[in-house]
């Protein structure tokens, strides 16, 4: 069943939205896939929060993360009472630079969170020994990397603790939700205790997620290219009821009371149905990436080394990124701006989230140059050619 079919069958039965058999089924499936203990949550940011609590990380502790990230990475660190310490990225991978991370280690550092940006594996061979040397916990953020591998081994299986996202913009385009994978046995008991004390999600939260999904599907995606659509979206995004990815509290590093919570039955039903598609979706995105890599010849655009990871997004970089994105959109090409800020998205108070402007120049520069090419799984050959032609002709 598709996500839309599952939603339409469940719309009239809110009594099945929160409780039911699907969280247990999804948990078993993920435990089989990753050979570790899984705790399901209502979002990946809840899973990060839980990961820190599981490891006893809190007040006075520091967690090293990369800039060129989403606010929902530093936010749960702040919610746990700890301090996110930003380190710069390697401009060729968009992932945390191990040397820059090491420079930030102090005696308050408790963990390094490595993010597999856009599904490209972080430098695990450097981070594992680095964490061992300094007695630090390694957390893998696999929000972009479901099904991606490093040396033929699933990402998520290298860290002491790993987190995943089932939010609709990620690998399997489910509704929402997250998971914590506990690989290190020493954390398993505490994780289970925390799991037991997790509150249920609320019907209003599920209704918000459904409202966001349906508004996009039935309305916004049809009108988003014209000015009325853009104005409507920016208006809706100011409200917590619509903007489920960035509440007003999260803009300034505060915890909304709906995080963390258990994964609702409905999210689990959709995620379970979609999970079987992950390899197919990843292969399709890799195929699109190969085509773009071969077709784009305009050397004014920086491209990353091709064919690494699962290409959740296919970014290209140009100093006039903002102008290029709006020009492309006016021609009907849906170029994206995900990660166009060192702590995404625009409108978060980066200082409140612990980021010191100027401290991570690679992340700042690349964010300002980021353009996501359309690489959704239904893209056609002719749309790919149109995108490549647009880029090849830009500035000529
Ligand atoms: C790297 C990374 N980690 C975590 C998250 C949070 O995911 P969720 O929306 O499921 O909380 C995001 C969201 O985009 C992300 O980009």
């Amino acid at each position: 069943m598709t996500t839309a079919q599952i939603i339409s069958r469940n719309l009239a039965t809110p009594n099945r939205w929160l409780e039911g058999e699907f969280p247990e089924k999804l948990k078993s499936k993920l435990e089989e896939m990753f050979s570790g203990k899984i705790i399901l949550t209502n979002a990946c940011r809840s899973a990060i929060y839980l990961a820190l609590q599981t490891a006893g990380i809190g007040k006075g502790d520091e967690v090293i993360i990369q800039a060129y990230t989403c606010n929902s990475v530093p936010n749960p660190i702040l919610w746990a009472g700890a301090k996110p310490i930003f380190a710069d990225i390697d401009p060729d991978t968009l992932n945390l630079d191990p040397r820059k991370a090491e420079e930030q280690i102090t005696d308050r550092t408790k963990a390094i969170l490595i993010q597999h940006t856009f599904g490209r594996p972080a430098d695990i061979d450097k981070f594992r020994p680095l964490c061992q040397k300094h007695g630090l916990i390694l957390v893998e953020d696999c929000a972009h990397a479901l099904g991606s591998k490093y040396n033929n081994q699933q990402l998520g299986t290298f860290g002491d603790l790993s987190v995943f996202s089932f939010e609709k913009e990620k690998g399997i385009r489910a509704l929402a939700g997250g998971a914590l994978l506990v690989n290190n046995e020493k954390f398993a008991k505490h994780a289970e205790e925390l799991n037991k004390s997790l509150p249920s999600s609320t019907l209003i939260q599920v209704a918000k997620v459904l409202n966001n999904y349906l508004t996009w599907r039935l309305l916004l995606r049809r009108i988003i290219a014209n000015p009325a659509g853009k104005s409507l979206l920016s208006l809706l995004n100011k409200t917590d009821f619509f903007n489920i990815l960035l509440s007003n509290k999260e803009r300034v590093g505060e915890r909304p009371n709906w995080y963390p919570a258990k994964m609702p039955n409905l999210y689990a039903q959709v995620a379970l149905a979609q999970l079987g598609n992950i390899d197919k979706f990843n292969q399709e995105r890799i195929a699109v990436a190969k085509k773009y890599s071969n077709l784009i010849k305009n050397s004014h655009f920086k491209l990353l080394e091709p064919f690494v990871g699962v290409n959740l997004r296919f970014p290209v970089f140009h100093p006039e990124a903002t102008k290029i994105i709006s020009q492309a959109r006016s021609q009907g090409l849906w170029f994206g701006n995900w990660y166009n800020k060192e702590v995404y998205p625009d409108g978060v108070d980066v200082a409140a989230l612990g980021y010191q402007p100027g401290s991570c120049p690679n992340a700042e520069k690349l964010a300002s140059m980021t353009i996501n090419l359309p690489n959704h799984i239904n893209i056609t050959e002719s749309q790919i050619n149109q995108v490549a032609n647009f880029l090849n002709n830009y500035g000529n």
Side-chain angles (χ1 to χ4, degrees):
M1 263 198 290
T2 64
T3 302
Q5 283 165 338
I6 295 174
I7 290 173
S8 65
R9 285 181 190 200
N10 278 281
L11 268 184
T13 50
N15 58 318
R16 298 262 307 143
W17 291 0
L18 300 181
E19 303 295 334
E21 68 277 29
F22 290 105
E24 205 46 49
K25 287 187 177 173
L26 177 63
K27 177 176 146 78
S28 305
K29 185 90 196 148
L30 290 168
E31 287 185 340
E32 191 186 305
M33 196 165 153
F34 292 104
S35 311
K37 180 172 182 48
I38 287 280
I39 290 170
L40 295 175
T41 56
N42 59 342
C44 180
R45 60 202 84 180
S46 297
I48 297 175
Y49 183 57
L50 222 60
L52 303 180
Q53 290 189 316
T54 297
I57 296 172
K59 204 167 163 24
D61 297 334
E62 294 179 353
V63 178
I64 296 173
I65 60 173
Q66 69 170 76
Y68 201 84
T69 191
C70 177
N71 73 85
S72 35
V73 177
N75 253 317
I77 299 173
L78 291 165
W79 305 343
K83 192 170 171 196
I85 302 292
F86 288 86
D88 210 352
I89 52 169
D90 175 339
D92 294 327
T93 66
L94 310 179
N95 288 328
L96 186 57
D97 180 331
R99 281 166 306 144
K100 298 280 165 54
E102 188 164 18
E103 281 166 20
Q104 299 294 339
I105 296 174
T106 68
D107 44 6
R108 289 178 299 278
T109 310
K110 289 289 177 310
I112 300 181
L113 180 146
I114 52 172
Q115 169 188 307
H116 306 298
T117 311
F118 302 151
R120 308 173 77 85
D123 197 342
I124 288 164
D125 283 346
K126 297 253 169 61
F127 280 109
R128 289 231 290 196
L130 185 65
C131 285
Q132 260 160 18
K133 180 172 147 198
H134 294 274
L136 304 176
I137 292 158
L138 182 64
V139 182
E140 274 185 87
D141 183 333
C142 305
H144 303 181
L146 187 64
S148 190
K149 290 187 175 150
Y150 182 76
N151 290 343
N152 251 342
Q153 187 181 327
Q154 288 277 5
L155 291 183
T157 57
F158 296 94
D160 296 290
L161 298 156
S162 302
V163 294
F164 297 86
S165 173
F166 304 109
E167 185 270 319
K168 68 177 167 31
E169 297 293 317
K170 310 290 191 334
I172 52 170
R173 309 166 113 202
L175 258 182
L180 167 65
L181 169 65
V182 183
N183 293 321
N184 187 331
E185 267 297 305
K186 79 173 179 200
F187 298 127
K189 193 161 164 266
H190 192 200
E192 192 44 52
E193 283 161 10
L194 289 168
N195 185 29
K196 284 200 185 115
S197 61
L198 266 187
S200 285
S201 284
T202 58
L203 282 180
I204 186 85
Q205 270 314 113
V206 180
K208 277 159 87 169
V209 167
L210 284 173
N211 169 57
N212 181 288
Y213 180 90
L214 293 170
T215 308
W216 265 107
R217 204 177 152 91
L218 302 176
L219 177 68
L220 283 172
R221 71 173 180 173
R222 291 169 218 270
I223 61 167
I224 195 65
N226 57 54
K230 271 185 220 152
S231 312
L232 178 63
L233 179 62
S234 87
L235 210 68
L236 288 172
N237 267 341
K238 294 204 172 85
T239 70
D240 276 2
F241 192 80
F242 180 78
N243 195 347
I244 50 165
L245 292 183
L246 180 65
S247 62
N248 290 324
K249 283 199 161 191
E250 288 168 287
R251 288 173 203 271
V252 292
E254 291 171 16
R255 181 173 67 85
N257 61 9
W258 53 89
Y259 298 128
K262 287 189 202 307
M263 183 186 280
N265 189 46
L266 181 59
Y267 301 178
Q269 184 176 0
V270 174
L272 186 67
Q274 287 288 312
L275 198 57
N277 291 326
I278 187 63
D279 289 337
K280 179 168 148 267
F281 288 174
N282 283 340
Q283 287 314 316
E284 284 172 16
R285 282 188 282 256
I286 290 168
V288 175
K290 285 187 180 165
K291 287 180 190 153
Y292 279 141
S293 300
N294 290 331
L295 289 168
I296 298 166
K297 305 283 181 215
N298 185 339
S299 58
H300 293 110
F301 288 90
K302 172 184 160 78
L303 269 68
L304 300 178
E305 192 198 331
F307 322 139
V308 180
V310 293
N311 297 95
L312 180 69
R313 294 289 186 277
F314 189 94
V316 294
F317 303 89
H318 193 287
E320 292 166 3
T322 312
K323 186 170 145 202
I324 294 169
I325 292 172
S326 63
Q327 258 186 34
R329 288 185 183 181
S330 70
Q331 294 180 27
L333 301 173
W334 193 252
F335 282 22
N337 61 7
W338 208 41
Y339 276 59
N340 67 351
K341 283 277 171 291
E342 58 279 5
V343 186
Y344 182 81
D346 216 0
V348 301
D349 179 346
V350 293
L353 267 59
Y355 182 75
Q356 229 186 334
S359 61
C360 298
N362 290 336
E364 289 184 22
K365 182 169 171 212
L366 283 167
S368 73
M369 294 169 65
T370 296
I371 302 168
N372 307 164
L373 301 190
N375 72 338
H376 54 88
I377 48 176
N378 299 321
I379 195 164
T380 63
E381 200 76 34
S382 113
Q383 287 167 325
I384 293 174
N385 285 323
Q386 250 180 299
V387 169
N389 287 339
F390 174 90
L391 295 179
N392 289 338
N393 292 327
Y394 186 80
N396 293 330

